[in-house]
């Protein structure tokens, strides 16, 4: 067994590996479309992989306002993908079936993104810091911002310009579990010490469902879909049954 084990890394190799891992952006979920794949498969700007590589190589793709030449750069929920030469902007959202969709945006909405606060702490020198779901670190934030809240980030400056508290009565989107992509109003929070906290949500059609607390993402102040800070994909987060989908297709024909 000892002979089959890999030889230990020396100090130089170990340090290089730690630095390389620290520079990587944290993964934001399975099935995340990279800029190259999005340009070719989703947006049809490229006919094949080679053309997608050329588009990225010539600095035609921006993610959250920064040029990305790596066709495999990971993008995730709420990221803004821009193609300046085409004048198109898209936000990565979920549909009601839990799939990533590239939702078209107006130029004004492409200037910001929403991020969920995942951690809050103080540095050794007492500097208040929060980290978000997309790997950002924000110092000297508003003291009212807590874990699970959502901050509105200006992509040009990288600063938090507003926030939504994780409170009952606010608009949420589900980002995990079987209800991924559904949008509704937070109605009730069940606390279960030592286990998962459960939240109850009611969508715009009057349907109620429950999910784990860490699956929620606050997207607006208020209980109406119009209160959302970001425009929503087709359906506005209301999940239809199989029969409702069938009837909708029949009416469209």
């Amino acid at each position: 067994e000892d002979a089959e084990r890999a030889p230990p890394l020396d100090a130089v190799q170990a340090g290089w590996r730690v630095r390389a891992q620290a520079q990587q952006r944290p993964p934001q979920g399975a099935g995340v479309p990279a800029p190259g794949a999005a340009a070719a498969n989703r947006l049809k700007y490229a006919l094949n992989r080679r053309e997608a590589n050329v588009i990225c190589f010539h600095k035609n793709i921006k993610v959250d306002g920064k040029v990305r030449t790596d066709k495999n750069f990971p993008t995730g929920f709420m990221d803004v993908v821009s193609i300046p030469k085409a004048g198109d902007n898209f936000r990565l959202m979920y549909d009601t079936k839990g799939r990533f969709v590239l939702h078209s945006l107006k130029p004004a909405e492409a200037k910001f993104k929403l991020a969920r606060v995942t951690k809050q702490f103080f540095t050794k020198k007492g500097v208040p810091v929060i980290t978000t779901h997309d790997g950002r670190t924000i110092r000297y934030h508003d003291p009212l911002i807590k874990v699970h809240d959502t901050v509105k980030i200006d992509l040009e400056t990288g600063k938090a310009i507003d926030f939504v508290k994780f409170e009952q009565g606010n608009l949420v989107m589900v980002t995990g579990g079987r209800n991924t992509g559904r949008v509704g109003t937070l109605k009730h929070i069940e606390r279960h010490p030592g286990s998962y906290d459960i939240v109850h949500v009611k969508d715009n059609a009057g349907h109620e469902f429950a999910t784990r607390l860490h699956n929620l993402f606050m997207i607006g102040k208020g209980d109406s879909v119009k209160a959302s800070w970001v425009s929503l994909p087709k359906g506005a987060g209301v999940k239809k049954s199989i029969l409702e989908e069938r009837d909708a297709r029949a009416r469209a024909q």
Side-chain angles (χ1 to χ4, degrees), residues 35-37 39-40 46 48-61 68-72:
N48 49 49
R49 189 176 183 85
R50 177 181 172 277
E51 292 184 2
N53 293 346
V54 172
I55 290 173
C56 294
F57 180 77
H58 285 283
K59 301 181 179 181
N60 292 321
I61 303 290
R68 300 297 180 184
T69 57
D70 181 8
K71 64 181 182 300
N72 295 320

mmCIF file of all heavy atoms in Angstrom, residues 35-37 39-40 46 48-61 68-72:
data_model
loop_
_atom_site.group_PDB
_atom_site.id
_atom_site.type_symbol
_atom_site.label_atom_id
_atom_site.label_comp_id
_atom_site.label_asym_id
_atom_site.label_seq_id
_atom_site.Cartn_x
_atom_site.Cartn_y
_atom_site.Cartn_z
ATOM 1 N N PRO A 35 -18.495 31.000 -20.520
ATOM 2 C CA PRO A 35 -18.724 31.990 -21.580
ATOM 3 C C PRO A 35 -18.617 31.417 -22.986
ATOM 4 O O PRO A 35 -19.406 31.757 -23.863
ATOM 5 C CB PRO A 35 -17.628 33.033 -21.304
ATOM 6 C CG PRO A 35 -17.363 32.920 -19.851
ATOM 7 C CD PRO A 35 -17.540 31.461 -19.520
ATOM 8 N N GLY A 36 -17.635 30.531 -23.221
ATOM 9 C CA GLY A 36 -17.485 29.943 -24.545
ATOM 10 C C GLY A 36 -18.676 29.088 -24.927
ATOM 11 O O GLY A 36 -19.211 29.184 -26.041
ATOM 12 N N ALA A 37 -19.128 28.249 -23.987
ATOM 13 C CA ALA A 37 -20.282 27.398 -24.262
ATOM 14 C C ALA A 37 -21.545 28.225 -24.419
ATOM 15 O O ALA A 37 -22.414 27.916 -25.241
ATOM 16 C CB ALA A 37 -20.455 26.380 -23.137
ATOM 17 N N ALA A 39 -21.726 31.298 -25.595
ATOM 18 C CA ALA A 39 -21.694 31.978 -26.889
ATOM 19 C C ALA A 39 -22.066 31.035 -28.023
ATOM 20 O O ALA A 39 -22.724 31.428 -28.992
ATOM 21 C CB ALA A 39 -20.304 32.578 -27.132
ATOM 22 N N ALA A 40 -21.659 29.767 -27.907
ATOM 23 C CA ALA A 40 -21.913 28.817 -28.990
ATOM 24 C C ALA A 40 -23.260 28.129 -28.857
ATOM 25 O O ALA A 40 -24.063 28.118 -29.794
ATOM 26 C CB ALA A 40 -20.779 27.775 -29.020
ATOM 27 N N ALA A 46 -21.647 31.658 -32.083
ATOM 28 C CA ALA A 46 -20.619 30.834 -32.703
ATOM 29 C C ALA A 46 -21.245 29.546 -33.208
ATOM 30 O O ALA A 46 -22.205 29.030 -32.626
ATOM 31 C CB ALA A 46 -19.501 30.522 -31.703
ATOM 32 N N ASN A 48 -19.288 26.767 -33.815
ATOM 33 C CA ASN A 48 -18.533 25.640 -33.291
ATOM 34 C C ASN A 48 -17.609 26.135 -32.176
ATOM 35 O O ASN A 48 -17.571 27.337 -31.871
ATOM 36 C CB ASN A 48 -17.728 24.940 -34.393
ATOM 37 C CG ASN A 48 -16.921 25.918 -35.235
ATOM 38 O OD1 ASN A 48 -16.213 26.771 -34.689
ATOM 39 N ND2 ASN A 48 -17.046 25.823 -36.553
ATOM 40 N N ARG A 49 -16.871 25.196 -31.604
ATOM 41 C CA ARG A 49 -15.996 25.523 -30.472
ATOM 42 C C ARG A 49 -14.866 26.453 -30.893
ATOM 43 O O ARG A 49 -14.448 27.321 -30.134
ATOM 44 C CB ARG A 49 -15.441 24.227 -29.869
ATOM 45 C CG ARG A 49 -14.704 24.431 -28.557
ATOM 46 C CD ARG A 49 -14.271 23.095 -27.973
ATOM 47 N NE ARG A 49 -13.638 23.254 -26.688
ATOM 48 C CZ ARG A 49 -14.281 23.330 -25.530
ATOM 49 N NH1 ARG A 49 -15.610 23.288 -25.521
ATOM 50 N NH2 ARG A 49 -13.631 23.459 -24.390
ATOM 51 N N ARG A 50 -14.360 26.271 -32.094
ATOM 52 C CA ARG A 50 -13.259 27.120 -32.553
ATOM 53 C C ARG A 50 -13.695 28.583 -32.611
ATOM 54 O O ARG A 50 -12.957 29.489 -32.182
ATOM 55 C CB ARG A 50 -12.780 26.653 -33.933
ATOM 56 C CG ARG A 50 -11.674 27.529 -34.522
ATOM 57 C CD ARG A 50 -11.249 27.034 -35.896
ATOM 58 N NE ARG A 50 -10.340 27.975 -36.503
ATOM 59 C CZ ARG A 50 -10.708 29.071 -37.158
ATOM 60 N NH1 ARG A 50 -12.001 29.358 -37.268
ATOM 61 N NH2 ARG A 50 -9.809 29.877 -37.691
ATOM 62 N N GLU A 51 -14.875 28.850 -33.145
ATOM 63 C CA GLU A 51 -15.362 30.221 -33.212
ATOM 64 C C GLU A 51 -15.613 30.795 -31.818
ATOM 65 O O GLU A 51 -15.370 31.979 -31.574
ATOM 66 C CB GLU A 51 -16.644 30.272 -34.042
ATOM 67 C CG GLU A 51 -16.423 29.977 -35.516
ATOM 68 C CD GLU A 51 -17.699 30.130 -36.317
ATOM 69 O OE1 GLU A 51 -18.737 30.499 -35.724
ATOM 70 O OE2 GLU A 51 -17.655 29.883 -37.531
ATOM 71 N N ALA A 52 -16.076 29.948 -30.907
ATOM 72 C CA ALA A 52 -16.269 30.406 -29.526
ATOM 73 C C ALA A 52 -14.937 30.790 -28.889
ATOM 74 O O ALA A 52 -14.846 31.790 -28.165
ATOM 75 C CB ALA A 52 -16.952 29.313 -28.705
ATOM 76 N N ASN A 53 -13.875 30.024 -29.195
ATOM 77 C CA ASN A 53 -12.554 30.360 -28.672
ATOM 78 C C ASN A 53 -12.072 31.699 -29.220
ATOM 79 O O ASN A 53 -11.489 32.516 -28.501
ATOM 80 C CB ASN A 53 -11.551 29.268 -29.039
ATOM 81 C CG ASN A 53 -11.836 27.957 -28.338
ATOM 82 O OD1 ASN A 53 -12.610 27.912 -27.384
ATOM 83 N ND2 ASN A 53 -11.243 26.875 -28.812
ATOM 84 N N VAL A 54 -12.328 31.951 -30.496
ATOM 85 C CA VAL A 54 -11.897 33.208 -31.113
ATOM 86 C C VAL A 54 -12.631 34.385 -30.487
ATOM 87 O O VAL A 54 -12.041 35.433 -30.216
ATOM 88 C CB VAL A 54 -12.133 33.164 -32.640
ATOM 89 C CG1 VAL A 54 -11.876 34.536 -33.263
ATOM 90 C CG2 VAL A 54 -11.242 32.113 -33.279
ATOM 91 N N ILE A 55 -13.932 34.219 -30.242
ATOM 92 C CA ILE A 55 -14.722 35.293 -29.635
ATOM 93 C C ILE A 55 -14.158 35.654 -28.257
ATOM 94 O O ILE A 55 -14.000 36.836 -27.924
ATOM 95 C CB ILE A 55 -16.197 34.870 -29.522
ATOM 96 C CG1 ILE A 55 -16.834 34.806 -30.912
ATOM 97 C CG2 ILE A 55 -16.979 35.850 -28.637
ATOM 98 C CD1 ILE A 55 -18.238 34.248 -30.905
ATOM 99 N N CYS A 56 -13.843 34.640 -27.466
ATOM 100 C CA CYS A 56 -13.285 34.899 -26.135
ATOM 101 C C CYS A 56 -11.870 35.464 -26.224
ATOM 102 O O CYS A 56 -11.504 36.371 -25.463
ATOM 103 C CB CYS A 56 -13.285 33.612 -25.311
ATOM 104 S SG CYS A 56 -14.929 32.979 -24.913
ATOM 105 N N PHE A 57 -11.071 34.955 -27.155
ATOM 106 C CA PHE A 57 -9.672 35.384 -27.278
ATOM 107 C C PHE A 57 -9.572 36.859 -27.648
ATOM 108 O O PHE A 57 -8.660 37.555 -27.209
ATOM 109 C CB PHE A 57 -8.961 34.520 -28.324
ATOM 110 C CG PHE A 57 -7.515 34.884 -28.524
ATOM 111 C CD1 PHE A 57 -6.557 34.493 -27.597
ATOM 112 C CD2 PHE A 57 -7.114 35.625 -29.622
ATOM 113 C CE1 PHE A 57 -5.223 34.832 -27.774
ATOM 114 C CE2 PHE A 57 -5.785 35.970 -29.800
ATOM 115 C CZ PHE A 57 -4.839 35.571 -28.878
ATOM 116 N N HIS A 58 -10.520 37.356 -28.426
ATOM 117 C CA HIS A 58 -10.501 38.752 -28.846
ATOM 118 C C HIS A 58 -11.205 39.679 -27.858
ATOM 119 O O HIS A 58 -11.569 40.812 -28.213
ATOM 120 C CB HIS A 58 -11.137 38.880 -30.224
ATOM 121 C CG HIS A 58 -10.265 38.388 -31.345
ATOM 122 N ND1 HIS A 58 -9.207 39.098 -31.852
ATOM 123 C CD2 HIS A 58 -10.280 37.214 -32.029
ATOM 124 C CE1 HIS A 58 -8.615 38.420 -32.815
ATOM 125 N NE2 HIS A 58 -9.253 37.256 -32.944
ATOM 126 N N LYS A 59 -11.418 39.195 -26.654
ATOM 127 C CA LYS A 59 -11.927 40.015 -25.549
ATOM 128 C C LYS A 59 -13.316 40.587 -25.833
ATOM 129 O O LYS A 59 -13.608 41.755 -25.548
ATOM 130 C CB LYS A 59 -10.947 41.145 -25.216
ATOM 131 C CG LYS A 59 -9.566 40.657 -24.823
ATOM 132 C CD LYS A 59 -8.632 41.794 -24.479
ATOM 133 C CE LYS A 59 -7.259 41.270 -24.077
ATOM 134 N NZ LYS A 59 -6.339 42.373 -23.703
ATOM 135 N N ASN A 60 -14.169 39.739 -26.389
ATOM 136 C CA ASN A 60 -15.526 40.171 -26.702
ATOM 137 C C ASN A 60 -16.545 39.767 -25.643
ATOM 138 O O ASN A 60 -17.719 40.105 -25.771
ATOM 139 C CB ASN A 60 -15.962 39.594 -28.057
ATOM 140 C CG ASN A 60 -15.179 40.192 -29.208
ATOM 141 O OD1 ASN A 60 -14.890 41.388 -29.212
ATOM 142 N ND2 ASN A 60 -14.822 39.373 -30.182
ATOM 143 N N ILE A 61 -16.106 39.037 -24.627
ATOM 144 C CA ILE A 61 -17.016 38.574 -23.574
ATOM 145 C C ILE A 61 -16.628 39.213 -22.245
ATOM 146 O O ILE A 61 -15.464 39.187 -21.849
ATOM 147 C CB ILE A 61 -16.981 37.038 -23.442
ATOM 148 C CG1 ILE A 61 -17.329 36.368 -24.764
ATOM 149 C CG2 ILE A 61 -17.933 36.586 -22.332
ATOM 150 C CD1 ILE A 61 -18.759 36.514 -25.187
ATOM 151 N N ARG A 68 -13.208 38.481 -19.920
ATOM 152 C CA ARG A 68 -12.767 37.115 -19.618
ATOM 153 C C ARG A 68 -12.410 36.429 -20.929
ATOM 154 O O ARG A 68 -13.255 36.232 -21.794
ATOM 155 C CB ARG A 68 -13.875 36.330 -18.907
ATOM 156 C CG ARG A 68 -14.315 36.939 -17.591
ATOM 157 C CD ARG A 68 -13.195 36.971 -16.576
ATOM 158 N NE ARG A 68 -13.643 37.554 -15.308
ATOM 159 C CZ ARG A 68 -12.846 37.766 -14.265
ATOM 160 N NH1 ARG A 68 -11.557 37.472 -14.352
ATOM 161 N NH2 ARG A 68 -13.330 38.292 -13.159
ATOM 162 N N THR A 69 -11.142 36.077 -21.075
ATOM 163 C CA THR A 69 -10.681 35.393 -22.285
ATOM 164 C C THR A 69 -10.682 33.885 -22.127
ATOM 165 O O THR A 69 -10.537 33.168 -23.126
ATOM 166 C CB THR A 69 -9.257 35.854 -22.651
ATOM 167 O OG1 THR A 69 -8.378 35.604 -21.540
ATOM 168 C CG2 THR A 69 -9.241 37.345 -22.970
ATOM 169 N N ASP A 70 -10.842 33.405 -20.907
ATOM 170 C CA ASP A 70 -10.895 31.962 -20.665
ATOM 171 C C ASP A 70 -12.291 31.465 -21.002
ATOM 172 O O ASP A 70 -13.268 31.831 -20.346
ATOM 173 C CB ASP A 70 -10.543 31.656 -19.208
ATOM 174 C CG ASP A 70 -10.555 30.156 -18.913
ATOM 175 O OD1 ASP A 70 -10.683 29.361 -19.867
ATOM 176 O OD2 ASP A 70 -10.440 29.794 -17.728
ATOM 177 N N LYS A 71 -12.391 30.615 -22.013
ATOM 178 C CA LYS A 71 -13.708 30.133 -22.446
ATOM 179 C C LYS A 71 -14.359 29.249 -21.389
ATOM 180 O O LYS A 71 -15.574 29.022 -21.418
ATOM 181 C CB LYS A 71 -13.577 29.350 -23.746
ATOM 182 C CG LYS A 71 -12.759 28.071 -23.639
ATOM 183 C CD LYS A 71 -12.642 27.364 -24.958
ATOM 184 C CE LYS A 71 -11.873 26.057 -24.832
ATOM 185 N NZ LYS A 71 -10.504 26.250 -24.339
ATOM 186 N N ASN A 72 -13.564 28.732 -20.440
ATOM 187 C CA ASN A 72 -14.086 27.860 -19.392
ATOM 188 C C ASN A 72 -14.244 28.576 -18.056
ATOM 189 O O ASN A 72 -14.410 27.919 -17.030
ATOM 190 C CB ASN A 72 -13.173 26.640 -19.217
ATOM 191 C CG ASN A 72 -13.161 25.764 -20.448
ATOM 192 O OD1 ASN A 72 -14.190 25.553 -21.085
ATOM 193 N ND2 ASN A 72 -11.986 25.257 -20.803
#
